[in-house]
Amino acid sequence: MRSSESESGLNFNLIMPAALLLVLLVVPFSVNSFMHMLSAKKHFNTLMMKIPIDSNAITIPSAAKQYEPFDVTLQLETKQLSKFLNEIVSTASEGTAIQGIVGVVSPNMKAEVAGEDFAIDKQGPQEQLSAYGGRADWRWRVTPESSGSHGLKFQLHLVTQHNGQQSTKVLDLAEASFSVQANPSEWFKRNGLWIALLLLVPAAIIFGLRHRYAR
């Protein structure tokens, strides 16, 4: 009887780590694969401008894939933009200025791209890469870190003069929506170490149990 009970207990103790491993590995990956499959059916990258300027000022890719970097560029006629903003500010009644901007806007402005689930090579407000003839250029290298639907925000950091005081104002320029495709092969490469560790833990438990019951 004791031998039978010991074997039953041993079998149970061997099954439990295997079942736990199955839950840890298969279930999350299955859920992620299902979500990736749903998101992969929709391939659309859209750009919505927050102020009335040509959307061609911003360049985004037509498709994006998890872990694969891409370039995002911004080209603005900063002199024309500052003139446009100043005209709006000067004619707007109190409290109705565009995004709360007051004072005189300078053409010397910085740009920023921000978004969760993206690795962006340049963080925070960036100086103009080039400024020639009133046109400014910016460029970012962006890497999607997860699949599904995600967004990038484009912002301008403006310098304004009002009543002799200089201040800065963040202007929401645009928002880009990305449908990022899953990249399972790269996911395995990046998470292979964790998978190996999860495999080693149950193996160590099984080895310990066998050694214990063998005595």
Side-chain angles (χ1 to χ4, degrees):
M1 281 293 288
R2 287 184 178 178
S3 177
S4 176
E5 289 177 357
S6 296
E7 290 180 1
S8 176
L10 179 59
N11 290 336
F12 178 77
N13 288 325
L14 292 177
I15 291 172
M16 283 302 295
L20 178 62
L21 178 64
L22 184 66
V23 171
L24 290 175
L25 291 180
V26 176
V27 173
F29 183 74
S30 297
V31 172
N32 286 334
S33 298
F34 178 71
M35 296 304 294
H36 294 165
M37 180 185 68
L38 291 179
S39 63
K41 292 180 179 179
K42 302 177 182 179
H43 300 299
F44 60 91
N45 294 345
T46 60
L47 183 64
M48 181 177 67
M49 306 303 295
K50 298 296 184 72
I51 60 175
I53 63 172
D54 191 350
S55 62
N56 289 327
I58 296 174
T59 302
I60 63 172
S62 58
K65 192 172 184 179
Q66 185 181 13
Y67 302 128
E68 293 188 359
F70 57 83
D71 288 329
V72 169
T73 62
L74 171 62
Q75 295 181 332
L76 283 177
E77 300 287 344
T78 54
K79 286 187 177 180
Q80 291 185 9
L81 178 58
S82 61
K83 181 180 179 181
F84 168 74
L85 293 173
N86 288 328
E87 289 176 352
I88 293 178
V89 171
S90 64
T91 57
S93 57
E94 186 176 353
T96 62
I98 182 171
Q99 297 190 29
I101 297 174
V102 294
V104 179
V105 178
S106 168
N108 184 21
M109 53 189 69
K110 298 179 181 180
E112 179 180 7
V113 169
E116 297 181 0
D117 301 304
F118 289 97
I120 303 172
D121 64 341
K122 301 170 187 174
Q123 299 289 331
Q126 300 298 310
E127 298 283 356
Q128 302 167 9
L129 290 178
S130 62
Y132 180 77
R135 192 188 77 172
D137 296 273
W138 293 270
R139 182 183 297 271
W140 295 267
R141 191 72 167 167
V142 179
T143 305
E145 296 190 320
S146 62
S147 62
S149 298
H150 306 293
L152 281 178
K153 293 183 179 180
F154 293 80
Q155 297 176 321
L156 293 176
H157 293 253
L158 308 176
V159 177
T160 61
Q161 290 280 350
H162 182 60
N163 294 332
Q165 298 290 325
Q166 181 175 295
S167 60
T168 58
K169 176 67 179 178
V170 177
L171 176 70
D172 291 327
L173 178 65
E175 184 169 351
S177 297
F178 290 86
S179 180
V180 181
Q181 294 178 265
N183 193 345
S185 60
E186 185 64 24
W187 185 90
F188 273 112
K189 289 180 184 178
R190 294 177 177 233
N191 296 278
L193 177 60
W194 292 109
I195 294 174
L197 289 174
L198 287 172
L199 289 171
L200 287 174
V201 170
I205 294 174
I206 292 172
F207 178 81
L209 289 172
R210 283 183 175 177
H211 181 72
R212 175 184 174 185
Y213 282 100
R215 285 190 279 177

